[in-house]
Amino acid sequence: MMKDLDSLRAEYQEKLRVSVEKIRQVNLGGPIQRISLFGSYARGRADLCTDLDILLVAPSEKPFVERMKEIRRKLSLPVDYDVFWYTPEEFDRMKNRPFLKHALKDEVVLYEA
């Protein structure tokens, strides 16, 4: 028997909640300065089409693309997500550029050192 839409929605909302907790606990081997969500989930939308947009600020010697690979391996979330890991220097330098300015406008900060 096929599940009804409300059941599917409730299951997915729980997966989103579990994913947010997993993000809070990620270990990058160094001090995380900031973790936040932005986009539709941060604005209160938690439906079957909702993904997580994650902004992470933490030191790293690795290039941006290598950091993206590392964080995706460590998170392995049960929902669709995009993660943007910036070093503190990159974040300070880029926070007034259109993409980050838009993301920061409606972000929900999960952790800030």
Side-chain angles (χ1 to χ4, degrees), residues 41-80:
Y41 188 79
R43 290 189 302 269
R45 182 168 175 225
D47 209 335
L48 292 171
C49 296
T50 304
D51 69 345
L52 294 176
D53 297 301
I54 306 159
L55 175 62
L56 181 74
V57 180
S60 177
E61 297 297 319
K62 296 180 181 178
F64 187 80
V65 173
E66 290 302 312
R67 282 180 261 154
M68 298 308 102
K69 290 177 186 175
E70 179 182 347
I71 194 66
R72 288 193 80 78
R73 275 193 309 270
K74 289 185 179 214
L75 284 178
S76 181
L77 301 178
V79 297
D80 289 334

Side-chain angles (χ1 to χ4, degrees), residues 5-30:
L5 197 53
D6 287 338
S7 295
L8 290 172
R9 221 178 249 127
E11 282 179 24
Y12 192 73
Q13 286 172 344
E14 178 60 14
K15 286 181 182 180
L16 288 167
R17 191 195 65 71
V18 167
S19 296
V20 168
E21 268 314 303
K22 198 169 183 183
I23 293 163
R24 287 177 186 240
Q25 297 171 11
V26 69
N27 180 358
L28 300 177

Side-chain angles (χ1 to χ4, degrees), residues 23 32-38 52-58 64 82-86 91 95 99-100 103-104 107-111:
I23 293 163
I32 295 173
Q33 292 187 357
R34 177 189 190 104
I35 303 171
S36 64
L37 299 175
F38 64 96
L52 294 176
D53 297 301
I54 306 159
L55 175 62
L56 181 74
V57 180
F64 187 80
D82 292 311
V83 62
F84 301 90
W85 177 358
Y86 295 101
F91 182 73
K95 66 183 170 192
F99 173 74
L100 277 179
L104 295 173
E107 78 175 325
V108 172
V109 177
L110 301 177
Y111 172 80

